[in-house]
């Protein structure tokens, strides 16, 4: 069985090559091919000897070369691209590339599926299958880097906000981010990384202990206990006031403002009172609110509020001096919300198995 080379720390690769009888400096050359040139085929690594390339081919696998792009969707405005990826074990994940005026960001998944079962999210429809590895998380960035390389562009921001709960795959997620941060890998600054959680407090506390200035985002979505538990069952284990307290400790420790994600659902959590309560909980906190007008899900009774209601909600927050923005919608026409594409693909596979 081949050893996965992608995501392998340099000292470990140097040791592995030495065991094959190869010179230590070859590891740096391979790093350059993989992470700077985005070349995932040993046969194309021209400054290595033919025998060495053959030996590498027989010994190692390179994950990005083994991931199959099942579907690729481009938004009409050309700013968003979503790809559905089939991993070597047959599981599927999705990842999204977004082109902003400041560069390119990638929204990566941390798990195959999700066990959080948020009522408005497609990621948890089939539950969590397994955690992703360090290589599988990093590869999501590099599959886009390989596409951008021809234009001399690179991904400059990473958001762990795709399918899965990052804090339930803590070690792999943060190892991947630290790997991507390395100058000889993707050289992405920690301040250009964001991890979003439904509110797994032990994970927030572990993140604080790492002492890395990575941005923290909290999926909040309601500040009435019964309603949040209905929308997000995780609230029963980690009540949102405790989550906000843990997030504020992180903000104080890291010096990074916490972003609270709040999906606006018409006639459910978008009232004046909801806005007043949200402002009350976040008053004097190092916090900003990112409001997300919901994608309609009529079968679940979820609808997008009218623009007048959204603007009213924002105005109440700002009146209380809470920094609030309405998320710029990207990729709405290609189902860029978490889990939508994978859920459709899983349904098609299941249908194909039955037929």
């Amino acid at each position: 069985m081949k050893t996965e080379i992608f995501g392998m720390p340099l000292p470990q690769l140097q040791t592995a090559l030495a065991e094959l009888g190869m010179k230590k400096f070859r590891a740096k050359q391979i790093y350059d091919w993989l992470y700077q040139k985005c070349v995932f085929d040993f046969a194309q690594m021209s400054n290595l000897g033919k025998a060495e390339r053959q030996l590498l081919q027989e010994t190692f696998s390179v994950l990005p070369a083994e991931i199959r792009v099942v579907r690729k969707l481009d938004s009409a405005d050309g700013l968003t691209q979503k790809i559905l990826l089939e991993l070597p074990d047959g599981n599927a994940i999705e990842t999204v590339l977004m082109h902003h005026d400041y560069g390119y960001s990638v929204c990566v998944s941390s798990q195959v599926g999700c066990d959080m079962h948020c009522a408005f999210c497609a990621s948890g429809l089939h539950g969590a299958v397994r955690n992703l590895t360090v290589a599988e998380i990093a590869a999501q960035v590099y599959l886009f880097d390989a596409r951008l390389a021809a234009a001399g562009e690179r991904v400059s921001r990473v958001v762990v906000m795709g399918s899965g709960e990052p804090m339930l795959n803590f070690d792999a997620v943060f190892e991947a981010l630290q790997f991507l941060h390395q100058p000889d890998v993707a050289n992405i600054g920690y301040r250009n990384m964001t991890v979003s959680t439904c509110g797994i407090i032990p994970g927030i506390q572990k993140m604080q202990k790492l002492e890395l200035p990575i941005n923290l985002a909290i999926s909040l979505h309601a500040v009435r206990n019964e309603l949040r538990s209905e929308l997000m069952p995780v609230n029963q284990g980690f009540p949102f006031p405790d989550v906000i307290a843990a997030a504020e400790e992180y903000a104080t420790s890291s010096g990074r403002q916490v972003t609270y994600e709040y999906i606006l659902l018409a006639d459910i959590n978008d009232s004046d009172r909801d806005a007043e309560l949200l402002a009350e909980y976040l008053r004097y906190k190092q916090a900003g609110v990112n409001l997300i007008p919901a994608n309609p899900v009529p079968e679940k009774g979820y609808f997008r509020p009218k623009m007048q209601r959204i603007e009213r909600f924002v105005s109440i927050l700002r009146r209380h001096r809470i920094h609030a923005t309405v998320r710029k919608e990207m990729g709405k026409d290609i189902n860029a919300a978490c889990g939508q594409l994978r859920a459709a693909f899983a349904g098609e596979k299941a249908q194909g198995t039955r037929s």
Side-chain angles (χ1 to χ4, degrees), residues 75-291:
S75 63
D77 60 12
L79 298 178
T80 307
Q81 184 178 92
K82 184 170 192 174
I83 54 177
L84 179 68
L85 307 173
E86 189 170 37
L87 302 173
D89 66 357
N91 280 304
I93 59 172
E94 54 191 56
T95 184
V96 181
L97 176 74
M98 290 161 285
H99 189 187
H100 308 275
D101 54 5
Y102 52 76
Y104 289 90
S105 66
V106 170
C107 180
V108 303
S109 294
S110 56
Q111 296 178 306
V112 178
C114 184
D115 266 342
M116 293 295 96
H117 300 291
C118 298
F120 46 81
C121 181
S123 296
L125 290 176
H126 303 285
V129 178
R130 66 171 177 84
N131 287 333
L132 296 182
T133 65
V134 172
E136 289 168 337
I137 295 168
Q140 294 174 65
V141 173
Y142 269 89
L143 286 168
F144 282 122
D145 262 347
R147 293 165 183 244
L148 295 171
E153 300 280 2
R154 296 292 293 257
V155 171
S156 59
R157 292 175 183 257
V158 178
V159 182
V160 190
M161 202 177 286
S163 297
E165 167 50 60
M167 298 307 185
L168 297 183
N169 188 19
F170 187 94
D171 291 344
V173 166
F174 285 90
E175 282 181 35
L177 293 179
Q178 290 175 80
F179 183 74
L180 292 167
H181 173 72
Q182 293 177 200
D184 56 355
V185 183
N187 196 31
I188 298 174
Y190 287 130
R191 287 178 171 79
N192 290 333
M193 297 176 175
T194 300
V195 174
S196 176
T197 176
C198 290
I200 308 297
I201 292 174
I204 298 171
Q205 294 169 336
K206 286 177 69 176
M207 185 175 172
Q208 182 177 336
K209 289 177 182 176
L210 288 177
E211 297 185 345
L212 301 175
I214 294 173
N215 299 301
L216 174 65
I218 302 293
S219 294
L220 191 58
H221 306 312
V223 284
R224 286 182 278 136
N225 203 55
E226 187 175 328
L227 175 59
R228 190 168 190 265
S229 292
E230 179 184 327
L231 295 175
M232 304 180 70
V234 69
N235 190 64
Q236 296 171 32
F238 300 105
F240 75 86
D242 297 340
V243 173
I244 292 173
E248 181 62 11
E249 285 187 18
Y250 180 80
T252 301
S253 173
S254 66
R256 308 299 293 166
Q257 177 179 281
V258 174
T259 298
Y260 289 87
E261 308 282 346
Y262 193 100
I263 191 167
L264 285 168
L265 303 164
D267 302 319
I268 293 177
N269 67 349
D270 66 338
S271 69
D272 286 6
R273 180 56 181 153
D274 286 305
E276 294 282 355
L277 278 172
L278 181 57
E280 188 175 315
Y281 275 108
L282 297 184
R283 185 174 290 118
Y284 307 125
K285 302 290 193 300
Q286 300 173 69
V289 177
N290 189 17
L291 297 167

